[in-house]
């Protein structure tokens, strides 16, 4: 492992710009469950309940979903979740000018909470802190919609056009936000190394942002607890906790 750690530091040190690609595993130490880890969300709820088709056609599902947000079960704006040491270490790398950008699959907004400016974070699966009308596109802070739910509107509709409201996260069956996708591809094109943290790299097209550079020879370092679906493409794989390994990598690379 020590040799792997040294090799990872050399890769990250040599690269002028590193693409950061994060998944749910970077936020578990902040108290947010991942999806496919040992007690991941998909072991407790049916992913099919998170498809856009069901959400739009099933008022009872929408009411359950708003209730879960209100009770903080979906770590939304009501949950008091804070960035952890891995997020802060990434911010240190970003502040030092080391990153071409942060591409995340997470919807928790914790990279921005840790200090990375919003325009340097590409949120491929959206952000749970915003909500919008599926009809006219009007959007609000999720807290504003939850205040309506708390006041008794179990399935709040758009006040402008009367259509359905959903949090601005990408559900299965929905396209990725094109602006975020475009930003992510620019960040990937500028990268001379890729650092993946806390993802099984099994969901597409998101995972391609990290895998495409690796396939054309850009060295990829993976920090993950357990296997990912593409460990074979990594130049170095560090199997362990992000909250431990990422600060150590950042300190080594920044010479602190
Ligand atoms: N440190 C390092 N790795 C961790 C930690 C940790 N503290 N905690 C969990 N992990 C690992 C898990 O073992 C798992 O391999 O992080 C990985 C998380 O993988 P997933 O749960 O599949 O999450 P992710 O890759 O982000 O999923 C991608 O799938 O369901 C969709 O939209 C959802 O964005 C999500 C996408």
């Amino acid at each position: 492992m020590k040799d792997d750690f040294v090799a990872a530091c050399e890769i990250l040190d040599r690269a002028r710009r590193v693409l950061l690609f994060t998944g749910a595993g970077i936020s578990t130490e902040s108290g947010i469950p991942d999806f496919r880890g040992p007690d991941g969300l998909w072991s407790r709820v049916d992913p099919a309940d998170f498809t856009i088709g069901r959400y739009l056609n099933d008022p009872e599902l929408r009411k359950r979903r708003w209730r879960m947000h209100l009770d903080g079960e979906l770590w939304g704006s009501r949950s008091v979740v804070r960035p952890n040491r891995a997020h802060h270490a990434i911010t240190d790398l970003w502040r030092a000018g080391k990153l071409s950008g942060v591409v995340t699959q997470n919807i928790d907004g914790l990279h921005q909470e840790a200090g990375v400016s919003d325009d340097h974070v590409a949120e491929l699966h959206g952000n749970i802190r915003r909500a919008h009308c599926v009809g006219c596109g009007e959007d609000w802070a999720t807290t504003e919609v939850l205040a309506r739910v708390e006041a008794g509107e179990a399935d709040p509709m758009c006040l402008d056009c009367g259509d359905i409201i959903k949090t601005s996260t990408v559900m299965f069956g929905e396209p990725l936000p094109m602006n975020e996708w475009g930003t992510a591809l620019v960040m990937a094109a500028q990268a001379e190394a890729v650092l993946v943290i806390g993802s099984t790299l099994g969901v597409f097209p998101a995972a391609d942002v990290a895998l495409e550079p690796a396939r054309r020879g850009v060295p990829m370092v993976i920090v993950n607890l357990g296997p990912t679906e593409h460990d074979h493409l990594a130049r170095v794989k560090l199997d362990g906790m992000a909250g431990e390994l990422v600060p150590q990598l950042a300190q080594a690379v920044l010479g602190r």
Side-chain angles (χ1 to χ4, degrees), residues 42 56 74 105 112 127 150 166 187 212 217 229:
W42 297 151
L56 296 179
L74 287 180
Q105 302 170 95
Q112 294 94 320
N127 187 314
E150 197 153 42
K166 70 179 285 288
M187 291 172 176
E212 188 277 328
E229 293 192 19

Side-chain angles (χ1 to χ4, degrees), residues 23-25 28-29 34-36 42 105 125 199-200 203 224-225 240 242:
T28 54
E29 291 168 75
D34 62 14
F35 297 93
R36 299 171 187 82
W42 297 151
Q105 302 170 95
H125 294 159
S199 178
T200 45
V203 170
N224 197 65
L225 200 56

